[in-house]
Amino acid sequence: MSFSVRAIDPANAAELDRFLDVPWSVYEPESPWVPPIRSDLAKQLSPENSFRSYGTLQAFVVAGEKPVGRVVAAVNRRLIDREGQNVGLLGYFECIDNEAAIAALLDAACDWLRSQGMTTVRGPIDLYTHNNCLFLSEGFESPPMLMMPYNPAYYGAAWERYGFARAKDAYAYDFPMIPLDDRFDRGYKIATKAGVTFRPIRTKGEGFEEDVRSLYRLFTDAFEASWSSSPRTEAEFFESAQQLKTLVDPEIFPIAEYDGKMVGFFMALPDYNIALKKVDGRLNIWGILKFLWYRRTIDRARVLAICALPEFRRKMVPLALIYLGMQGGQKQGYTNAELSWIWADNKASRNITEASGAKVLKTYSMYERAL
């Protein structure tokens, strides 16, 4: 079969539909893959997305008799300014297991990045790492947690045959809902004795807005310097928080404060992928009804981040937050949780995670090559 690659305009509804349809040619119905919400992807690629104020992108589709692959090449100026190198990004990648189709798709995307002056290409990253990123490279047996990637096992090998090399690995950890080691209870008592107070995140009114602003400051201090991460404005962070607001379970989202100032948090969300698996990527009226029905069956959670200001780590705030987050999870009836993801070379975060009894469940990989 011969394949042709076409640059598509996400603002064109028919072309966008062709792009969004591709994964249904890749994944079998029994696959653990959870279809992303199509309207969310359309919004990310829309000309109205704030990304367009500091970046540019080009989407491609490869087709034989029908679309069988897709990718988005992107130039994120914030990332380039931060790293000081012309690194382009590839994301939203999906393709059937056909080397000619994959090569044609990557050829088109890399040629476009060269035309933009890029000298290195990295991926998969959907515009920025705050979106979906990484390929799953180990742990294909279990389904992905909320906002975590899943892909066929051949993706990484196909990129490597094309000339990519693994740039960095990341891990997802399994947290069994069992009593924690005594040191976490002691950590909570030490933190409270030092004057640290704890409460659930607020999800309404001015309290929610105040908490989001504080979370933004902590996120910026703790994570924005993470490898391959590009900075966000407070407005962009607030927009993301608004989208997740109705999904929050305060029992598994404790906040640490000292003198009325947020100094740490344990950010976890119920694993809504259990319900999203049933809606097949479409939140129309029937999709919403299915989502509301199946969300009642959610019995696991994803821990997105555990954060404390450096001066409060010595006051055992991270241990206290894990203690409270796990207590909240047990109270809500979750059977297990996943902490995802942590870079493999982030020894400090891995050490405290593994001290809780968590075990590596999955490995993810980021790839890079010269252009």
Side-chain angles (χ1 to χ4, degrees), residues 310-324:
E311 60 269 32
F312 288 90
R313 294 169 193 164
R314 294 187 295 273
K315 300 182 190 299
M316 302 299 162
V317 167
L319 270 66
L321 287 166
I322 293 173
Y323 172 78
L324 291 171

Side-chain angles (χ1 to χ4, degrees), residues 80-98:
I80 290 170
D81 290 344
R82 185 174 164 269
E83 294 199 355
Q85 63 169 325
N86 286 345
V87 54
L89 306 176
L90 295 184
Y92 303 93
F93 178 85
E94 302 283 5
C95 196
I96 63 170
D97 189 7
N98 183 289

Side-chain angles (χ1 to χ4, degrees), residues 191-192 195-199 255-260 263:
T192 54
V196 180
T197 59
F198 299 90
R199 62 169 175 82
I255 300 294
E257 293 183 319
Y258 186 79
D259 284 344
V263 297

Side-chain angles (χ1 to χ4, degrees), residues 164-369:
F164 281 88
R166 279 196 193 189
K168 193 170 285 206
D169 285 344
Y171 296 135
Y173 283 87
D174 179 55
F175 270 103
M177 285 295 175
I178 58 176
L180 290 168
D181 187 291
D182 287 346
R183 74 187 110 171
F184 289 86
D185 182 24
R186 291 198 301 270
Y188 171 69
K189 291 174 180 174
I190 291 169
T192 54
K193 192 172 292 186
V196 180
T197 59
F198 299 90
R199 62 169 175 82
I201 190 172
R202 295 172 289 184
T203 59
K204 296 180 180 179
E206 291 183 2
F208 171 75
E209 294 180 7
E210 290 173 5
D211 281 354
V212 170
R213 283 193 289 271
S214 297
L215 285 168
Y216 172 72
R217 289 192 290 270
L218 283 181
F219 253 104
T220 301
D221 289 344
F223 299 115
E224 297 291 10
S226 179
W227 181 76
S228 206
S229 177
S230 55
R232 286 178 288 182
T233 65
E234 186 176 286
E236 290 168 333
F237 187 88
F238 197 91
E239 182 180 1
S240 297
Q242 285 281 18
Q243 293 172 353
L244 296 175
K245 180 179 178 180
T246 59
L247 304 181
V248 169
D249 178 351
E251 292 288 346
I252 55 173
F253 203 139
I255 300 294
E257 293 183 319
Y258 186 79
D259 284 344
K261 175 186 175 184
M262 189 184 297
V263 297
F265 60 83
F266 180 100
M267 180 185 290
L269 293 171
D271 181 24
Y272 288 100
N273 268 7
I274 291 173
L276 291 173
K277 177 75 171 176
K278 306 294 184 180
V279 309
D280 203 32
R282 298 179 187 273
L283 279 181
N284 52 25
I285 184 63
W286 295 114
I288 292 171
L289 290 174
K290 285 182 180 179
F291 177 82
L292 293 174
W293 177 264
Y294 285 103
R295 72 181 291 175
R296 304 179 309 164
T297 67
I298 294 172
D299 61 354
R300 60 182 187 241
R302 179 188 167 206
V303 183
L304 284 76
I306 304 168
C307 174
L309 292 175
E311 60 269 32
F312 288 90
R313 294 169 193 164
R314 294 187 295 273
K315 300 182 190 299
M316 302 299 162
V317 167
L319 270 66
L321 287 166
I322 293 173
Y323 172 78
L324 291 171
M326 298 297 279
Q327 274 203 332
Q330 291 170 351
K331 176 182 175 182
Q332 296 295 87
Y334 298 111
T335 58
N336 75 295
E338 177 183 291
L339 172 61
S340 51
W341 39 273
I342 301 175
W343 288 123
D345 59 2
N346 185 348
K347 299 298 184 183
S349 293
R350 289 185 58 197
N351 286 343
I352 191 171
T353 300
E354 291 168 12
S356 71
K359 305 292 184 185
V360 172
L361 178 68
K362 299 184 180 186
T363 302
Y364 300 87
S365 301
M366 191 79 78
Y367 291 83
E368 196 170 273
R369 64 160 286 182

Side-chain angles (χ1 to χ4, degrees), residues 54-56 74-89 113 116-120 122 127 228-231:
Y54 58 88
T56 185
V75 174
N76 182 331
R77 293 292 172 190
R78 289 179 181 172
L79 180 62
I80 290 170
D81 290 344
R82 185 174 164 269
E83 294 199 355
Q85 63 169 325
N86 286 345
V87 54
L89 306 176
L113 288 172
Q116 302 297 307
M118 299 300 102
T119 56
T120 302
R122 183 182 300 160
L127 308 183
S228 206
S229 177
S230 55

